[in-house]
Structures are given as structure tokens and as C-alpha cells.
Amino acid sequence: MKPTFRALLAGTAMVLAGGTANAETLRLLTWGGYAPEDVIAAFEAEYPDIDVEVTLSNNEEMIAKLRATGGTGFDLAQPSHDRVYAAQLEYNIYKPLDLSQINTDAMTPNLLEGVKANTTIEGEVYSVPHQWGTSGVMANMKEAPEVAGWNDLCDEQYAGRTSMRLRRTILLGTAYGMGMDPFALYADPEGYQDMLDQVTEKLIACKSVIKTYWSGGDDLSALMLSGEVVVSETWDSTAFKLYGENPDIVFVPPETGALAWIDTFTIPRGGEADDAAYKWINFVLRPEITKMMSASTGAIAAVPNGIDLMPDDKKAAISAAFDQEDLDNLKFFANIPPGIEDMEGLALERIKAAN
């Protein structure tokens, strides 16, 4: 029996080795939760000639990685819709999409048209939408029932129990909380710098109130669930996840409007597996896969019935957070003109370095 068993093992190994050698690799550059294991397994089962390789990232890192490599090293990236136009103009890191290979009929029309408009350069479209959500404030309503907006993050009554992330979102949110409209100032660099100076001073003064600056969803979740923090800047998807574990923790759309983002499908200029990338895009837009994806991300798919395809606990969290007035008051991130992020980066460095 032993020789036969060895022969069987050897034959199996040859088959496995042959399959791996012939497989194409789809290299995803995406956010945490955007390539869950169950979705990857379903995709690879349908396309056994494609292996999926995932690198987790965020907007700043995606641009930095692709800029450093001239747009090579990955086959599909997922930057937010407002982070594509300037990066493409400045660094030429993406390639135009072939829309004929994408099932755009599956996408929410206004989100599709909005993303296309924001990412069109010289008649070429560089991105289409995948998932969307908002940024705002999360509060434990048992501990902080009166929280209503961005200014509460710096309220002395919550000293030592608030948190935020030192990224551009907090600059924009704080500006709205101070009565300014940062997106309206994008075309006025001097005005934008004046706004940043005011926001920077406020956030430096706020450091005595902040317990800590969170760096990722897991970090933020631990802070809220432990009760160390009762008010925080957040993505709504993180708040929706925590609502399932503690219904006292809810997303609070700021009274000035939650900041709305749309994460996209965008193909790097040096991508080597375009066909596989288009297959992944169309695969994850299917209703049954959309539901699996939203369960992982907590975000809403950019499909017409996206909220209906959310898991029940996420739908309950959305109902607890938003009414129609909140939805009508969303502030969608505007396209970032070249140079704005450098100004914001200096402001964030000043805040970080201040005592």
C-alpha cells in the first residue's frame, strides 16, 4: 500500500503544482474588510485560474505606494472618489477604465455618474463606485446623550474621553463645525490656508481634551467598547459594527452634515491583470456577494438597493443614525485640487508636533 499511497501523493502534488503555475494573480490594493475570505473563496472557486492577493491600505498609502512604483505592483486599487483626479494629474498612476467590461447597470445611477464626473480627465473615466458611507461622530448615548456634532469632540465636559484620527477628515469636519465650508474654498488657496490656520489652532487647543488619536477601525472599536472613549470621530461603518455589540453606541450625523465618501474601483497604470480586475469588479457587484461584502465592511454598496442588502443589524444601526433630513444634508467630498493635500499635511504636522 505504501508505494501506491506515495504515488497518489506525488500525483496530487503535481496536479496542485501545475494549477498554481498556470494561475494568474489578481493583486488588490484595498481597505480592511474589502476582500473578506468568504468572498475571495467564492471568486477563486468560480475562477480557478485566478489567485487573489490582498494588500490592505488607506488613501494616503495607496497613492504613496503607486507613486513610488509608477503605478505598478497592483492590478486593482480602491481609493476614495475624491483622491483620484489630483493623483492622476500629478503622478499618472492610473489607467483609463474600459467601461464596456463593467456591469455599470448594477450601480446606483447618481453615484456612478458622480464618480465618473469626478474622475474624468480628457474624456477618459478612471473610476467607478463600489461602496459608500459617511464620516461623522460616534457617541455612547448613555454617557454622552447630547452629542450633536464635530464641536463636541473638543468639549471640556468630555475631557480625557474623546478621540479622533489625525487625517484630513478631522480638518474638514472641524471647519464645518466652526461655520466654514472647506469645499467652497478649494478654488481659493489663500482662503483655504486661512481656514486651515484657524482649524489648526482649534485642534491644538483641543489636545488637552483628547484621550488619544486612533489609527484604525480596530483601534477605535476597542476604545469605544471598553468605555475609555465615549465620543469620537468615526466612519459610520465602524459605528454600525459596534451598534451590534452595544446599542448605546450610535453614529451621530453632525448637525452641519456628515461627510460622504465613495470608495472606487480604479486600475493602476502598471496593472498586469486587467481581465481579472474586471471579473472581480463584476463579481462583487452581484447581490449575493454585495451582502457578504457589506457584512464585512459595514459600508453600503453602490447599488440601487444597497441599504436593503445590508445585514439586519447594520440596517437597524442605519435607522438609529439617519433620518431623511440627515441624508438630505450629506456633504460629499469634493475633488481635491493639486496642492491642497500638501497644505493639509503641514497643518496635521503642526497639530501633531504641538504640546
Side-chain angles (χ1 to χ4, degrees):
M1 292 295 291
K2 285 183 178 179
T4 304
F5 184 62
R6 289 196 192 97
L8 180 62
L9 283 177
T12 302
M14 289 177 65
V15 170
L16 291 173
T20 301
N22 293 328
E24 181 179 30
T25 299
L26 171 62
R27 300 163 299 175
L28 298 179
L29 182 61
T30 190
W31 301 81
Y34 278 49
E37 289 298 327
D38 53 353
V39 171
I40 291 175
F43 180 79
E44 291 180 340
E46 182 163 324
Y47 299 104
D49 57 337
I50 302 175
D51 291 332
V52 178
E53 181 181 290
V54 180
T55 298
L56 300 183
S57 191
N58 56 49
N59 277 317
E60 291 78 14
E61 289 180 1
M62 285 185 209
I63 294 171
K65 286 179 185 293
L66 294 172
R67 181 184 178 186
T69 62
T72 65
F74 300 96
D75 304 300
L76 184 64
Q78 299 212 258
S80 300
H81 75 287
D82 59 315
R83 312 299 285 270
V84 176
Y85 184 84
Q88 176 59 20
L89 281 183
E90 291 187 85
Y91 312 127
N92 188 26
I93 54 179
Y94 300 120
K95 66 174 75 172
L97 293 178
D98 179 355
L99 295 178
S100 71
Q101 296 199 53
I102 299 174
N103 180 20
T104 53
D105 289 344
M107 298 174 176
T108 307
N110 65 325
L111 296 180
L112 172 63
E113 293 309 314
V115 171
K116 285 169 62 178
N118 273 9
T119 64
T120 295
I121 299 173
E122 296 181 351
E124 302 279 11
V125 175
Y126 284 83
S127 303
V128 291
H130 178 205
Q131 298 217 321
W132 71 277
T134 67
S135 293
V137 177
M138 172 165 53
N140 183 322
M141 300 309 285
K142 186 174 284 186
E143 302 282 344
E146 296 179 355
V147 167
W150 299 103
N151 291 332
D152 291 303
L153 295 167
C154 295
D155 191 325
E156 288 285 349
Q157 70 172 309
Y158 306 121
R161 305 187 76 189
T162 73
S163 183
M164 60 179 64
R165 189 174 69 135
L166 268 185
R167 297 287 188 181
R168 65 186 308 266
T169 300
I170 194 61
L171 300 177
L172 301 173
T174 301
Y176 272 114
M178 295 174 71
M180 296 178 279
D181 182 349
F183 300 144
L185 293 171
Y186 270 180
D188 176 10
E190 288 189 11
Y192 200 77
Q193 185 59 61
D194 180 63
M195 179 211 77
L196 283 177
D197 290 341
Q198 295 181 56
V199 168
T200 298
E201 291 305 314
K202 180 179 176 68
L203 291 178
I204 288 175
C206 181
K207 292 187 82 168
S208 62
V209 177
I210 298 293
K211 177 177 179 57
T212 188
Y213 298 101
W214 58 270
S215 58
D218 291 342
D219 186 20
L220 173 58
S221 297
L223 288 167
M224 290 296 297
L225 289 173
S226 69
E228 292 180 84
V229 164
V230 297
V231 186
S232 181
E233 177 215 354
T234 187
W235 297 296
D236 58 5
S237 54
T238 302
F240 297 159
K241 283 184 179 180
L242 297 188
Y243 182 83
E245 298 186 51
N246 181 351
D248 291 329
I249 299 175
V250 299
F251 181 75
V252 180
E255 53 200 352
T256 53
L259 296 171
W261 46 264
I262 308 169
D263 290 336
T264 71
F265 297 112
T266 305
I267 296 184
R269 180 162 61 87
E272 298 173 354
D274 289 2
D275 287 345
Y278 287 121
K279 285 175 180 171
W280 175 268
I281 293 170
N282 292 326
F283 183 81
V284 300
L285 288 172
R286 296 177 188 172
E288 68 277 17
I289 305 300
T290 290
K291 196 162 191 172
M292 295 162 67
M293 186 71 78
S294 287
S296 175
T297 65
I300 304 167
V303 299
N305 53 347
I307 293 178
D308 292 337
L309 291 173
M310 298 285 285
D312 289 342
D313 60 329
K314 305 294 188 305
K315 280 192 282 189
I318 293 171
S319 296
F322 288 99
D323 57 25
Q324 191 58 48
E325 186 177 347
D326 297 318
L327 293 173
D328 292 341
N329 195 31
L330 293 179
K331 302 289 189 292
F332 277 90
F333 282 95
N335 254 351
I336 306 174
I340 288 289
E341 284 194 89
D342 292 337
M343 297 164 65
E344 294 170 343
L346 291 173
L348 291 169
E349 286 300 319
R350 283 180 57 198
I351 297 165
K352 187 176 180 181
N355 294 319

